Amino acid sequence: MGNKFRKKVKPELMAQIRAVKTESLDKGDEVIHSEEQQLSETDKLVWAYKKNEDSSKSVVKEIVTVSFVTKINKEDYTVIHYDSTHDKILHMHIYQSIDEPTKNTVIPLPIRKKGNQAKLLSWAIKDIRKNWNIYRRKFYKRSGLKPDF
């Protein structure tokens, strides 16, 4: 018996998701899996995670990145990204502007979340899918740009 409240993913959204690469690390039982989803002509969601591969199941070990990337003047800029590389605690990095593309601020609680890495990965992906337009507008404002969307 299925959960009648379970939210279904729209087929057109799933069609936009494609695997970019899967590469093996030095250990035979661990791989990094990455995917991306186009959100608009200039915006995309990219995520990568380390997982254990064994014969019975695949387990997410660590979130490498869940990033929102926007293209401005034919240049890609990371607006925000989540990772759990520090003590397995999910946290957000917000990038300042196109003038300082490598300067970022780590957002403390309440954005930091603990829990199962697979659930945290899912939460971060859903957050960017839901809020990418807000993140983009704020990035444009910090960059002193007039939105062209």
Side-chain angles (χ1 to χ4, degrees):
M1 207 183 253
N3 184 348
K4 67 179 182 177
F5 298 107
R6 188 177 194 163
K7 188 174 182 178
K8 294 186 179 186
V9 177
K10 296 177 183 176
E12 60 272 14
L13 183 64
M14 288 307 295
Q16 295 174 351
I17 299 173
R18 66 183 195 286
V20 175
K21 67 179 177 181
T22 302
E23 70 181 57
S24 295
L25 298 175
D26 293 337
K27 290 183 174 182
D29 63 341
E30 188 179 74
V31 297
I32 293 180
H33 182 80
S34 65
E35 296 183 36
E36 71 178 47
Q37 175 187 5
Q38 209 61 43
L39 299 168
S40 74
E41 278 187 32
T42 58
D43 304 292
K44 65 184 174 181
L45 166 62
V46 179
W47 64 95
Y49 56 92
K50 290 181 183 178
K51 64 180 182 174
N52 263 352
E53 289 285 347
D54 70 18
S55 59
S56 63
K57 61 183 175 178
S58 176
V59 178
V60 176
K61 288 181 61 176
E62 179 182 306
I63 300 166
V64 176
T65 188
V66 179
S67 303
F68 168 55
V69 179
T70 191
K71 189 177 292 277
I72 302 171
N73 298 327
K74 299 181 182 179
E75 191 83 28
D76 282 342
Y77 293 94
T78 300
V79 176
I80 68 157
H81 86 264
Y82 290 100
D83 69 52
S84 68
T85 56
H86 317 288
D87 300 325
K88 305 284 188 250
I89 298 172
L90 186 69
H91 57 280
M92 175 193 272
H93 295 255
I94 296 180
Y95 290 83
Q96 296 305 309
S97 69
I98 63 170
D99 298 323
E100 300 176 285
T102 58
K103 184 177 179 186
N104 69 75
T105 304
V106 178
I107 302 300
L109 293 169
I111 300 298
R112 289 180 188 242
K113 292 184 168 284
K114 292 183 182 179
N116 173 306
Q117 293 294 299
K119 287 181 183 179
L120 295 175
L121 176 66
S122 178
W123 180 88
I125 291 169
K126 287 176 185 176
D127 177 66
I128 292 177
R129 282 182 182 154
K130 180 180 177 184
N131 298 308
W132 66 272
N133 205 16
I134 294 167
Y135 297 140
R136 178 175 65 168
R137 287 185 189 281
K138 288 181 178 181
F139 185 73
Y140 266 68
K141 185 176 180 179
R142 289 192 304 270
S143 298
L145 298 173
K146 190 170 188 165
D148 58 352
F149 39 85

